[in-house]
Amino acid sequence: MDGSSYIRLKEPQLRDAALPSTCETAGTSAGAVSSRLASASLIPLVALLAGSLTAVWLSVRTGSSTSRFAGLEVPILRYVLLALVACALLGVLIEGLVLDRWPLAVPAIAGSVVLVLAALLLILEEVAASLIPTSFLPTSVRRLTVDVYGGLGIWMAAFASLALVVTSRIDGGAIGVAHKVWMGVQRLPLRWLAAFILVGVSVCVAAWSRYQPWAAGSAGIERIEVPGWSLPFVGPGSLIAVVALGAAAVVLTVQRNLVAALVLVVSGWALSFLAALALLATSTLARVKVNQYLPSTVERYGPSVEVRWGAWLMFATGCVAAACGMAIVYWSEREIR
């Protein structure tokens, strides 16, 4: 056997000896994060999920009084939420830190159940007021306005549970996800980065502005401010648009997707359309001079309607989101060509 053939036979063995093991390769691809460190990175998310139970999950307004309930104050649901948070914490401690397993199954399952419960409760809260049969109530009671809506706690729980599900199934946990996002941000052109920042801010502002006053009505000394979520058709429609806007933003953060960019455009224009619809209806009602049809003695106590700043904020936010979406679509088309 000559020297060249000997070298050819030995080269695969040398390459095999130089290759790292499977565990080393997985650790390097996840930013050299061990499974125990990845599991420990989920503890802040579990703490955020537990903290959301002390914030407002349910608000009930009757007339001029409002009652607010934290997640731990909702009957029956509080025991379910506490059990799920305990399961998520024990899953991280036992399955991740003690047994050294990855990915984690128990925290992902517990987070998924919390996410489903938060979404269902949010939907029920949005439609609860419209389900109240006010036409069958006595006239004295019918005058009272009954509103049921969510609060900061339920949105915190939805975000924390979604983040827990995602990070418990990706290599490196929260550290690995943060590393991948940071690497993706560094590779983005400046214009893409600016568009993504505007989209993220738009999602937060749109979700917040739904709970701000869009219209106000007064009669005598009584004054009621109407938030955007409680308006017929506009409230449920804006919820769907905000969720679609957030989902498109998440997909675009992970990868440049043309379909997600189109969804972003449609969601932004939908929010602007709903806000414009509320502005048009409120402005039309405000032009009706009811006082001139009342006796002079009670003319100054007549009802009046006015537009509030929440509708304008939602209109501007939708336009910004749609403009960012159109820019992303244009840039994506140029890259494809």
Side-chain angles (χ1 to χ4, degrees), residues 137-311:
L137 297 177
T139 306
S140 57
V141 180
R142 196 184 307 170
R143 291 177 297 177
L144 297 177
T145 57
V146 180
D147 292 330
V148 182
Y149 55 98
L152 178 63
I154 194 169
W155 287 101
M156 287 176 55
F159 169 77
S161 58
L162 178 60
L164 183 62
V165 172
V166 173
T167 55
S168 62
R169 306 300 298 176
I170 294 180
D171 290 340
I175 298 176
V177 172
H179 180 262
K180 291 179 180 178
V181 171
W182 175 247
M183 295 301 294
V185 168
Q186 287 182 325
R187 291 193 297 266
L188 283 176
L190 183 59
R191 59 185 181 182
W192 282 82
L193 181 59
F196 285 158
I197 292 176
L198 284 176
V199 169
V201 173
S202 299
V203 173
C204 298
V205 173
W208 177 72
S209 62
R210 291 185 68 250
Y211 296 94
Q212 305 312 310
W214 285 32
S218 61
I221 60 174
E222 295 293 333
R223 178 180 174 85
I224 296 178
E225 291 189 336
V226 182
W229 68 266
S230 64
L231 295 174
F233 174 73
V234 173
S238 61
L239 176 63
I240 296 173
V242 168
V243 172
L245 189 70
V250 170
V251 173
L252 287 173
T253 303
V254 177
Q255 63 179 356
R256 303 179 189 180
N257 190 291
L258 183 59
V259 177
L262 292 174
V263 172
L264 187 67
V265 175
V266 174
S267 302
W269 286 131
L271 291 175
S272 297
F273 170 75
L274 293 172
L277 191 64
L279 289 170
L280 180 61
T282 307
S283 301
T284 303
L285 290 175
R287 293 178 178 274
V288 179
K289 304 298 183 181
V290 182
N291 297 348
Q292 61 184 354
Y293 301 105
L294 298 176
S296 57
T297 55
V298 295
E299 183 177 351
R300 59 175 180 167
Y301 300 108
S304 63
V305 180
E306 62 177 320
V307 177
R308 298 289 289 142
W309 56 271

Side-chain angles (χ1 to χ4, degrees), residues 1-11:
M1 183 180 296
D2 59 356
S4 60
S5 61
Y6 177 80
I7 292 175
R8 286 197 298 270
L9 289 173
K10 285 298 183 180
E11 282 177 351

